[in-house]
Amino acid sequence: MPDTLREAGDAPRPDTPGGRDSAAVLEVDGLCRAFGEVKAVDDVSFTLARGGSLGIVGESGSGKTTTARIVVGLERADAGRVRVGGGSGGPQRGRAARLARAREVQMVFQDPFLSLDPRTTVEAVLRETLRLHFPGRDHPARIAELLDQVGLGAREASALPRQLSGGQRQRVAIARALAVEPRILVLDEAVAALDVSVQAQILNLLADIRKQTGIAYLFITHDLGVVRCVTDDVIVMRHGRVVEAGSTAGVLADPRHPYTRLLLDSVPRPGWDPKHIAAARRAL
Ligand SMILES: Nc1ncnc2c1ncn2[C@@H]1O[C@H](COP(=O)(O)OP(=O)(O)O)[C@@H](O)[C@H]1O
Ligand SMILES: [Mg+2]
C-alpha cells in the first residue's frame, strides 16, 4: 500500500467475526486484470458503505472502467475478489449467477444511446426489465412510479430513444437501473457527455435518489468537480493502481499524492497554466 493511502474520514466501521465489514455493501479486494502487457487493474481494493457514495477518479486509461466492469460482472478478474452485500463472492458463472449479480449491481454508462434499443419505447424498456427481474410486477403503476422518480412523464414514456434529449436518455437509463432495485449503482462517466446545466440536474437527481432509496453509488469520473458533488469517499487511480484514498473532502482539500495534486491543478481556473501542468506531468 502506498503511504499516501488514508483511512476514510468516517469512524471505523464494525467488523463481523469473519473479518467482513458488515456496514459494507461492496468489498473489493486485490483486484487484478491485465490485457497483454498492460496491467489495467493492479491490486485494487476498496469498500463501499451501505447507502454510501464512493468516487473513482483518474485520467483516461487509469483502469476505472475495467474495475467497474469487473464489479458488475461484465469482465473477469485475473485475481482478487468482489463481494456484494455480504455475499460469498468467488466464481459465479451462468445465467442465474449473472441475474443474481444484476439484481444487486446495476450500471449506467456514459452514452445511454448505445445501451438503449432504438426501436423500443421508454415504457417498453422498463416493462421488459421489470418482467425479467420481477415477473408479474410489470404493471403500468410501477412504470409510472419509476418515470416519476427520474423526473419523466407520460409524454416521454411513449417516446423512442432518438426522440429524447441526452439528459432525458440518461434519466431513462437510470430508471431502468432502478427498476431492478439494486443495492449498488455503478455510474461510469454517466454525466460526462451532458451539457453542464443538464449535468447538474442529473447530479441533483442522483443525490435525491440516494437519499430516498438508500442505494449506494460507485461513481466513476475524471471530473473532480463531479466527485466533490456526489461522493463521500474517493479513490484515485493511476496506471491501474490506487494511489490515494480517503474522504472526498479530505483528499480534495489536502491531497497527499503528487498525482492527485496534478489532477487538482489540471482543473481550469483563473491563472491556470497548462504548460506548467504538462511539465509537472512529465516529471511525475
Ligand atoms: N478489452 C481490452 N483490451 C485491451 N486493452 C484494454 C481493454 N480494456 C481496457 N484496456 C486497457 O486497459 C487500460 C485501462 O483502461 P480503462 O479501464 O478503460 O481505463 P479508464 O476507464 O480509466 O479510462 C487502458 O490501457 C486500456 O487501453
Ligand atoms: Mg473509462
Side-chain angles (χ1 to χ4, degrees):
M1 266 191 183
D3 56 6
T4 45
L5 217 59
R6 300 183 290 190
E7 291 305 310
D10 303 337
R13 296 180 179 120
D15 277 359
T16 49
R20 288 188 198 169
D21 186 341
S22 60
V25 70
L26 173 66
E27 288 172 279
V28 168
D29 194 18
L31 224 53
C32 295
R33 178 72 162 113
F35 297 105
E37 297 285 280
V38 179
K39 286 182 173 176
V41 177
D42 188 4
D43 195 19
V44 166
S45 303
F46 56 83
T47 300
L48 173 60
R50 262 172 224 289
S53 180
L54 175 72
I56 304 184
V57 291
E59 292 175 307
S60 175
S62 55
K64 306 182 299 294
T65 292
T66 305
T67 302
R69 288 174 56 84
I70 295 170
V71 167
V72 299
L74 290 171
E75 186 80 69
R76 69 172 175 81
D78 296 329
R81 194 151 57 156
V82 175
R83 199 150 48 197
V84 176
S88 59
Q92 293 181 343
R93 296 187 196 285
R95 184 173 186 273
R98 274 202 307 279
L99 258 183
R101 176 67 71 87
R103 217 161 263 156
E104 308 261 31
V105 191
Q106 282 283 306
M107 187 156 174
V108 174
F109 300 89
Q110 173 170 343
D111 186 352
F113 215 41
L114 296 178
S115 60
L116 294 173
D117 182 339
R119 294 154 305 178
T120 308
T121 65
V122 170
E123 201 167 25
V125 166
L126 296 178
R127 199 180 307 120
E128 274 169 25
T129 303
L130 289 170
R131 203 167 278 169
L132 178 66
H133 288 276
F134 305 105
R137 272 181 55 195
D138 55 327
H139 40 69
R142 178 63 183 138
I143 293 172
E145 189 178 73
L146 285 164
L147 288 171
D148 185 57
Q149 203 170 10
V150 297
L152 296 177
R155 203 181 65 77
E156 290 87 10
S158 55
L160 292 169
R162 68 179 151 76
Q163 297 167 318
L164 300 172
S165 69
Q168 286 172 328
R169 280 200 288 271
Q170 202 55 297
R171 287 171 192 265
V172 175
I174 294 167
R176 180 177 55 182
L178 293 176
V180 182
E181 297 173 27
R183 295 203 236 196
I184 303 165
L185 195 55
V186 177
L187 300 119
D188 188 0
E189 301 283 7
V191 297
L194 303 173
D195 293 340
V196 176
S197 63
V198 179
Q199 198 176 74
Q201 288 167 9
I202 300 285
L203 293 175
N204 283 336
L205 174 72
L206 288 168
D208 289 344
I209 289 171
R210 180 155 78 105
K211 255 184 250 149
Q212 288 157 11
T213 62
I215 196 171
Y217 293 153
L218 188 60
F219 210 106
I220 294 165
T221 176
H222 65 280
D223 186 332
L224 291 164
V226 168
V227 159
R228 195 188 299 276
C229 267
V230 290
T231 67
D232 306 329
D233 298 306
V234 66
I235 64 174
V236 181
M237 284 186 70
R238 178 176 193 235
H239 300 333
R241 299 188 69 92
V242 177
V243 296
E244 182 154 4
S247 75
T248 303
V251 169
L252 294 184
D254 179 24
R256 306 276 170 92
H257 194 280
Y259 179 68
T260 313
R261 263 178 248 138
L262 186 67
L263 283 180
L264 278 165
D265 289 345
S266 305
V267 178
R269 63 171 173 277
W272 176 74
D273 179 4
K275 277 201 218 83
H276 173 78
I277 308 293
R281 183 181 304 277
R282 282 193 297 275
L284 202 67

